[in-house]
Amino acid sequence: MTRPNASSGPPRSTLVVTAHAGDFVWRAGGAIALAASRGEKVAIACLTFGERGESAKARREGKTLEEIKAIRRGEAEQAAATLGAELRFFDAGDHPLVGTPELTDQLVSVYREIQPDVVLTHPVDDPYNGDHPAANRMALQARILAQAIGHPGPGEIIGAPPVFYFEPHQPEMSGFKPEVLLDITAVWDTKRKAMECLAAQQHLWAYYTDLAVRRGVQLKRNTGSNLGLAHNTMAEAYMRPFPQIAKELA
């Protein structure tokens, strides 16, 4: 995810479009922390708090919907700060998250403001959670509209930033195939601390730790040499919906 001669221009920026308050941590926390550690801007567009479908613990405790939103907001803000990212909430309502022209236009404005060099979002399919594909559709549509000089709205049009799909919770059932393995060993402790901010989903801490270990093993297996890699390499997996542009194969 490195752009040639990035140091000669303005700082790179990453836009993360995520359905729920915790998704960006589990799936892309390492990529976010890496970008932030390089001094890059990372903005997270969080479409919902996950107050209905991803806050079972709080609901069992009898919390109201507004109380749950406040809990999830606080957890997500703490996690984003730990990773070094800026977080924006849209409060669009989850389960279901319904894509609307108004919500998509809000994302267009974010694209044009941030001018992202990289976009991270959900993959196309997830049979277990329709909010994730809904976020994907809006993220891709907003990217297209933000490029269109004739689409109304504030800000300058954007280019065509590469898009990376982060890994869904059940990849085998969602047609997810790792195409990019990102070494996040250097920032793993930061990602783990961000994960621990999400007390409402504590049951996922171990799962995503184990996943980072497995993807780290695969990263080493697909590297020509293990020289320079940590013994306990941690990694995240991504897919690319659009072709990679290159002047040589590498």
Side-chain angles (χ1 to χ4, degrees):
M1 299 183 188
T2 302
R3 181 181 63 188
N5 303 319
S7 60
S8 63
R12 283 166 52 88
S13 59
T14 296
L15 175 61
V16 185
V17 181
T18 178
H20 309 110
D23 293 337
F24 69 90
V25 182
W26 314 122
R27 288 93 187 274
I32 293 169
L34 279 173
S37 73
R38 296 191 295 263
E40 300 172 13
K41 177 182 179 64
V42 183
I44 302 167
C46 188
L47 300 179
T48 84
F49 296 111
E51 66 272 13
R52 291 187 176 88
E54 305 215 338
S55 304
K57 180 176 180 290
R59 295 191 72 85
R60 285 195 293 267
E61 292 171 351
K63 298 285 195 302
T64 67
L65 205 60
E66 292 306 312
E67 288 173 333
I68 294 171
K69 286 183 181 182
I71 291 169
R72 297 311 310 273
R73 174 189 283 272
E75 292 181 352
E77 288 175 339
Q78 186 179 1
T82 300
L83 295 172
E86 168 196 333
L87 183 58
R88 306 179 184 200
F89 295 104
F90 290 72
D91 194 14
D94 69 314
H95 282 68
L97 168 61
V98 179
T100 65
E102 293 76 17
L103 186 54
T104 301
D105 273 345
Q106 289 180 54
L107 283 177
V108 170
S109 296
V110 173
Y111 270 95
R112 288 180 172 176
E113 175 191 345
I114 301 300
Q115 294 287 316
D117 295 282
V118 174
V119 176
L120 309 179
T121 194
H122 298 271
V124 174
D125 296 318
D126 190 336
Y128 295 97
N129 193 321
D131 291 355
H132 298 156
N136 166 277
R137 290 190 294 272
M138 282 186 283
L140 296 190
Q141 179 70 356
R143 175 182 175 272
I144 293 170
L145 295 176
Q147 297 176 63
I149 193 168
H151 188 77
E156 297 294 327
I157 62 171
I158 68 169
V163 178
F164 293 84
Y165 292 164
F166 41 65
E167 185 164 2
H169 188 63
Q170 299 197 53
E172 299 86 352
M173 300 301 295
S174 302
F176 183 88
K177 182 177 180 180
E179 295 173 339
V180 177
L181 293 168
L182 180 67
D183 187 344
I184 63 168
T185 309
V187 294
W188 167 250
D189 288 345
T190 301
K191 176 172 180 175
R192 176 69 194 199
K193 288 176 183 176
M195 287 164 52
E196 291 174 359
C197 295
L198 304 177
Q201 294 178 291
Q202 186 172 345
H203 60 288
L204 295 178
W205 296 359
Y207 177 92
Y208 280 98
T209 298
D210 292 344
L211 180 59
V213 171
R214 294 198 304 275
R215 295 309 187 200
V217 170
Q218 293 169 352
L219 185 150
K220 289 194 290 185
R221 183 69 178 85
N222 285 277
T223 302
S225 170
N226 286 338
L227 294 177
L229 292 177
H231 175 66
N232 294 319
T233 300
M234 311 294 271
E236 290 174 344
Y238 294 84
M239 287 182 68
R240 298 196 64 161
F242 303 115
Q244 177 180 348
I245 307 303
K247 293 185 178 179
E248 63 181 46
L249 296 178

